[in-house]
Amino acid sequence: MMRTRPLKVALLGCGVVGSEVTRIMTTHADDLTARIGAPVELAGIAVRRPGRVRAGVPEELLTTDATALVKRGDIDVVVEVIGGLEPARTLITTAFEHGASVVSANKALLAEDGAALHAAAEQHGVDLYYEAAVAGAIPLVRPLRESLAGDKVNRVLGIVNGTTNFILDKMDTSGAGYSEALDEATALGYAEADPTADVEGFDAAAKAAILAGIAFHTRVRLDDVHREGMTEVTAADFASAKQMGCTIKLLAICERAADGRSVTARVHPAMIPLTHPLASVREAYNAVFVEAEAAGQLMFYGPGAGGAPTASAVLGDLVAVCRNKLAGTTGPGESAYAALPVSPMGEVVTRYHISLDVADRPGVLAQVAMVFAEHGVSIDTVRQQGKDGEAALVVVTHRAADAALSATVEALRRLETVRGVASIMRVEGE
Amino acid sequence: MMRTRPLKVALLGCGVVGSEVTRIMTTHADDLTARIGAPVELAGIAVRRPGRVRAGVPEELLTTDATALVKRGDIDVVVEVIGGLEPARTLITTAFEHGASVVSANKALLAEDGAALHAAAEQHGVDLYYEAAVAGAIPLVRPLRESLAGDKVNRVLGIVNGTTNFILDKMDTSGAGYSEALDEATALGYAEADPTADVEGFDAAAKAAILAGIAFHTRVRLDDVHREGMTEVTAADFASAKQMGCTIKLLAICERAADGRSVTARVHPAMIPLTHPLASVREAYNAVFVEAEAAGQLMFYGPGAGGAPTASAVLGDLVAVCRNKLAGTTGPGESAYAALPVSPMGEVVTRYHISLDVADRPGVLAQVAMVFAEHGVSIDTVRQQGKDGEAALVVVTHRAADAALSATVEALRRLETVRGVASIMRVEGE
């Protein structure tokens, strides 16, 4: 059943992802036609600077008026790869109002405003797909939303930001400090001129919000995600990690509480054992573990960013929404029926690695141990290293609530014998 | 938009998978209802031995008349977890004729007769889904069929049989021989009483046929898959592999030829470097690499078998086909438009590790090297070990066509100085 009137696609943005989308739509047009059941035609490409040379991009399709493009009335699908909140949000909403389905790679917008966008799509009977918003080419949104639709996901744990993984991998393997590793990442094009969104964990937090929302059938917004960046991870932290048989990764962790009645979502650097599969995820690769009640542990691994991988995810969605258009239907929309409360970071239960600078005198360990005990935080191991009247004390705890650990650390800081808290890092993946 | 008339599901088979499907449908009924948009009701369960005790399975639903169950006329979805060709094929076809969609975990049937079944489903306007047929809970069918629908898959390389991976892992880590490792796998329930389907590669070959078909949009049948079992892998092979920094895995490999005009599918034991992610897949786990033009290298990892993981995949499909039923549509059917020829094993190009028992006398290496050269097979490395007038010669080749290698080995066997060919193993994943 091949129809000949082509489906019309409007592309918003023509940077690294947009130009790859254009290239693939042009060079693989016959395959896309066969897989969709109708030809797809690139009807227009909205860009900010039409004068810029874009190899392989038909100049006659370029326009600076994105609003007019989505309002044309004959557009079947809008592909949004501009990023950021505005004008993306308004353009997507306008697209819905004009009957177009939307494929987006916009993690920030979806984490901020996913519920409203889903509602708008449903109201207008169109699709909103966004596989490319999380972990580039790695299929994650579709497996969570469809393959695991009959299962109960308890945990999503992963490396979802390639820039920070490249930096941490570099620090781990070369012994470099943070700024040296960042410089290399910038020089190689893995980090942007302003790396804030990556290194402060904003990008990973947006992805955590999206993943938690889908995994737990609950609305989770960016604000619900506890976020700590990785700019303060030091070479000394890596040395400590190695002594424990661990390395350090920036992790996104979405968990269902043990009683099943609430969920948490967080992004922070953490130590993980070298034996854990995530420990061997190198360079800018991403990998995500999903633990489900019936399926057990699944892992998804691949390139988490880049023009071509992101375009692959965009085009997979494009085929799906085009098929839906032809069938006169829509795919699964938002599923937030569980509406579980998102608990604050204080209720997260995990393990901790704490380095203290203490006075090297008898009784200090006993004093420190007492503070942990008073706050109900059980110690797993303590390592003591003395030097010149000062000593370093490294404490690894058993599982404890984050609030209890914070209170412990506050009390430790008040101890006269504790000169400083050199680092606190969570230990995951055990 | 919740409707109240439940969708009716008939379950064919109630072994390890079927009883897990029943358990989850019962205990997670509310979640399934919310995710589908309507309640699902287990309307009947066809079993061979109704007297057997099945914990948690409602006895009043059991019937021995599977045909009558699928012919009832009010069944929306048939879940087939009987396995084997008949009566599964007839029951599935009958289900289609009576308007039911089918979710199947039956790799043998799909590899044998997938095209006819897809055609029958399409003719009757219903769905045929089978995520559970390949690699248990690991989402593979849906990612290949949907997430990568806008990409060009060039290669699928994976461990898709848990039983043989358990045996090979045991041989690798304990130095055990094949039959000792098989005995342990049998005792622990990883191998069946008759392990033929697993150890001779039939199970993996069926999965390879299904994966190749989806990946290359081409019909690939079980007969098209070159198949070698792993019963002849020895402890000596593992020792040789270790010397090369490799281990041995039973791999399913589906490849597009370099010119893109044909494909191959094969299952055989192969050496892979210890640095390759598949090398660290332990016990009965499965993992599959997918290489696509735009996406790059993706890996999917998880439990490849077992009641609960397989049930997870079945239920994901059940949710999808129920949603399609409610929307009055069907999901993507067979995509075989590319219709690429499947080339025979002789045209596969890969590397080889060959162990020869040769006479320990001058000139033997030159003679052997000449035979390789005459057949156009280029040698990468040779290792020679002499002992008591006999010597072992281990040759590792560069990439060469399988037919050229076979001809080389035949010629080597005819050499008077070659006492025997101890082993030939392909080297993959480099």
Side-chain angles (χ1 to χ4, degrees):
Chain A
M1 294 183 308
M2 189 72 69
R3 68 167 208 179
T4 44
R5 186 179 82 71
L7 288 150
K8 293 197 176 173
V9 176
L11 177 62
L12 309 183
C14 200
V16 281
V17 177
S19 52
E20 272 298 313
V21 169
T22 306
R23 188 190 65 75
I24 297 171
M25 284 186 69
T26 310
T27 56
H28 292 319
D30 291 348
D31 284 315
L32 292 172
T33 301
R35 294 174 192 184
I36 291 167
V40 272
E41 179 188 300
L42 204 45
I45 306 173
V47 294
R48 269 182 304 180
R49 292 181 294 275
R52 219 171 105 198
V53 176
R54 295 170 175 85
V57 175
E59 252 182 77
E60 67 277 15
L61 295 181
L62 299 181
T63 171
T64 53
D65 193 344
T67 308
L69 179 59
V70 300
K71 276 186 172 171
R72 265 174 51 165
D74 65 340
I75 300 297
D76 295 290
V77 183
V78 169
V79 172
E80 184 269 307
V81 289
I82 311 175
L85 300 186
E86 284 296 347
R89 176 176 15 213
T90 305
L91 290 168
I92 289 175
T93 313
T94 308
F96 290 155
E97 285 162 3
H98 288 78
S101 286
V102 171
V103 173
S104 171
N106 195 328
K107 65 214 92 175
L109 179 57
L110 280 151
E112 180 74 23
D113 225 11
L117 292 173
H118 273 112
E122 195 180 338
Q123 185 196 331
H124 295 285
V126 292
D127 274 322
L128 170 62
Y129 274 47
Y130 46 90
E131 182 65 78
V134 184
I138 311 172
L140 268 176
V141 172
R142 188 173 276 103
L144 279 172
R145 191 151 83 159
E146 302 183 40
S147 306
L148 291 165
D151 207 333
K152 186 181 176 190
V153 176
N154 288 320
R155 198 163 194 237
V156 178
L157 170 87
I159 295 166
V160 295
N161 180 275
T163 305
T164 49
N165 199 59
F166 182 90
I167 296 170
L168 291 169
D169 184 30
K170 194 52 58 183
M171 291 175 74
D172 186 27
T173 50
S174 75
Y178 165 71
S179 40
E180 194 186 329
L182 172 62
D183 287 348
E184 186 171 343
T186 311
L188 292 171
Y190 286 114
E192 293 179 48
D194 175 1
T196 311
D198 292 317
V199 301
E200 295 296 352
F202 289 100
D203 173 85
K207 292 165 179 169
I210 296 170
L211 290 174
I214 301 171
F216 303 135
H217 299 269
T218 284
R219 278 186 193 151
V220 180
R221 286 166 47 99
L222 185 55
D223 290 348
D224 296 321
V225 181
H226 175 85
R227 180 192 51 75
E228 297 172 28
M230 45 67 75
T231 58
E232 286 170 27
V233 175
T234 64
D237 290 330
F238 272 101
S240 292
K242 262 173 206 169
Q243 285 193 305
M244 279 186 67
C246 285
T247 186
I248 298 170
K249 296 290 185 187
L250 184 72
L251 298 179
I253 306 174
C254 314
E255 283 175 320
R256 194 186 288 276
D259 67 3
R261 294 202 188 143
S262 63
V263 297
T264 54
R266 53 193 164 116
V267 167
H268 55 71
M271 293 186 183
I272 56 165
L274 292 172
T275 50
H276 194 283
L278 290 180
S280 52
V281 175
R282 299 268 166 245
E283 303 196 326
Y285 276 86
N286 284 196
V288 177
F289 258 80
V290 176
E291 291 175 24
E293 192 179 87
Q297 280 205 332
L298 304 172
M299 187 174 82
F300 303 81
Y301 167 95
T310 308
S312 171
V314 164
L315 286 160
D317 279 353
L318 179 66
V319 170
V321 303
C322 285
R323 281 173 176 163
N324 290 344
K325 278 260 168 191
L326 291 179
T329 183
T330 53
E334 186 189 30
S335 175
Y337 72 92
L340 295 166
V342 185
S343 300
M345 189 62 195
E347 292 182 26
V348 164
V349 174
T350 186
R351 298 179 62 205
Y352 306 86
H353 175 284
I354 304 123
S355 294
L356 303 170
D357 294 323
V358 297
D360 191 9
R361 75 169 83 126
V364 171
L365 176 54
Q367 219 178 12
V368 165
M370 180 60 75
V371 171
F372 277 90
E374 281 166 4
H375 292 84
V377 178
S378 168
I379 291 175
D380 180 15
T381 60
V382 180
R383 204 172 61 241
Q384 205 167 183
Q385 288 162 324
K387 53 171 205 285
D388 312 326
E390 294 243 331
L393 212 59
V394 175
V395 179
V396 181
T397 74
H398 285 297
R399 285 167 62 79
D402 217 78
L405 194 278
S406 296
T408 307
V409 170
E410 217 170 289
L412 287 171
R413 286 191 208 275
R414 285 195 301 264
L415 284 186
E416 182 257 329
T417 48
V418 172
R419 305 267 159 83
V421 180
S423 88
I424 308 165
M425 201 168 289
R426 298 180 187 88
V427 183
E428 304 287 342
E430 293 180 307
Chain B
M1 297 181 305
M2 188 72 68
R3 69 165 207 181
T4 44
R5 186 180 80 70
L7 288 149
K8 293 197 176 170
V9 175
L11 177 63
L12 310 182
C14 201
V16 281
V17 177
S19 52
E20 271 298 314
V21 169
T22 307
R23 187 189 66 74
I24 297 171
M25 285 186 70
T26 311
T27 55
H28 292 319
D30 291 348
D31 284 314
L32 292 172
T33 301
R35 295 174 192 184
I36 291 167
V40 272
E41 178 188 301
L42 203 45
I45 305 173
V47 294
R48 269 182 304 180
R49 291 179 297 273
R52 219 171 104 197
V53 176
R54 295 170 176 86
V57 174
E59 251 182 76
E60 67 278 14
L61 294 180
L62 299 181
T63 169
T64 52
D65 194 344
T67 307
L69 178 59
V70 299
K71 276 186 175 173
R72 265 174 51 165
D74 65 341
I75 301 296
D76 295 290
V77 184
V78 168
V79 172
E80 183 269 307
V81 289
I82 311 175
L85 301 185
E86 284 295 349
R89 175 173 19 212
T90 304
L91 290 169
I92 289 175
T93 313
T94 308
F96 291 155
E97 286 161 5
H98 288 79
S101 287
V102 171
V103 174
S104 171
N106 195 329
K107 65 215 90 174
L109 179 57
L110 280 151
E112 179 74 22
D113 225 11
L117 292 173
H118 273 113
E122 194 179 338
Q123 186 196 331
H124 295 285
V126 292
D127 274 323
L128 170 61
Y129 273 47
Y130 47 89
E131 182 66 78
V134 184
I138 310 173
L140 269 176
V141 172
R142 187 173 275 102
L144 279 171
R145 192 152 81 158
E146 302 184 38
S147 306
L148 291 165
D151 207 332
K152 186 180 175 189
V153 176
N154 288 320
R155 199 165 193 234
V156 178
L157 170 87
I159 296 166
V160 294
N161 180 275
T163 305
T164 49
N165 199 59
F166 182 91
I167 295 170
L168 290 168
D169 184 30
K170 194 53 59 181
M171 291 175 73
D172 186 27
T173 50
S174 75
Y178 166 70
S179 38
E180 193 186 330
L182 172 61
D183 287 348
E184 186 170 344
T186 311
L188 292 170
Y190 286 113
E192 293 179 48
D194 176 1
T196 310
D198 293 316
V199 300
E200 295 296 353
F202 289 101
D203 173 85
K207 292 165 179 169
I210 296 170
L211 290 174
I214 301 171
F216 305 135
H217 299 269
T218 285
R219 277 184 193 150
V220 181
R221 286 166 47 100
L222 185 55
D223 290 347
D224 297 321
V225 182
H226 175 85
R227 179 192 51 76
E228 297 172 28
M230 45 68 73
T231 59
E232 285 169 29
V233 175
T234 63
D237 291 329
F238 272 102
S240 292
K242 264 174 205 168
Q243 285 193 304
M244 279 184 67
C246 286
T247 186
I248 299 169
K249 295 290 186 188
L250 184 73
L251 298 179
I253 306 174
C254 313
E255 282 175 321
R256 194 185 289 275
D259 68 3
R261 296 207 186 136
S262 63
V263 297
T264 53
R266 52 191 164 118
V267 167
H268 54 71
M271 293 187 183
I272 55 165
L274 292 172
T275 51
H276 194 283
L278 289 180
S280 51
V281 175
R282 298 268 166 247
E283 303 195 326
Y285 276 86
N286 283 195
V288 177
F289 258 80
V290 176
E291 291 176 24
E293 193 178 88
Q297 280 205 331
L298 304 172
M299 187 175 80
F300 303 82
Y301 167 95
T310 307
S312 171
V314 164
L315 286 160
D317 279 353
L318 179 66
V319 170
V321 303
C322 285
R323 282 173 176 164
N324 290 344
K325 277 261 167 190
L326 291 179
T329 183
T330 53
E334 187 189 29
S335 175
Y337 71 91
L340 296 166
V342 184
S343 301
M345 188 62 195
E347 291 181 27
V348 163
V349 174
T350 187
R351 298 180 62 208
Y352 306 85
H353 176 284
I354 305 124
S355 295
L356 303 170
D357 294 324
V358 297
D360 192 8
R361 75 170 83 127
V364 172
L365 176 54
Q367 219 179 12
V368 165
M370 181 59 75
V371 171
F372 277 89
E374 280 166 3
H375 292 86
V377 179
S378 168
I379 291 175
D380 180 15
T381 59
V382 180
R383 204 171 62 241
Q384 206 167 184
Q385 287 163 325
K387 52 171 205 288
D388 312 327
E390 294 244 331
L393 211 59
V394 175
V395 179
V396 180
T397 74
H398 285 298
R399 285 169 60 81
D402 218 77
L405 194 279
S406 297
T408 308
V409 169
E410 217 170 289
L412 287 172
R413 286 191 209 274
R414 285 195 301 265
L415 285 185
E416 183 257 331
T417 48
V418 172
R419 305 269 160 81
V421 180
S423 87
I424 309 165
M425 201 168 289
R426 297 180 188 89
V427 184
E428 304 287 341
E430 291 179 308

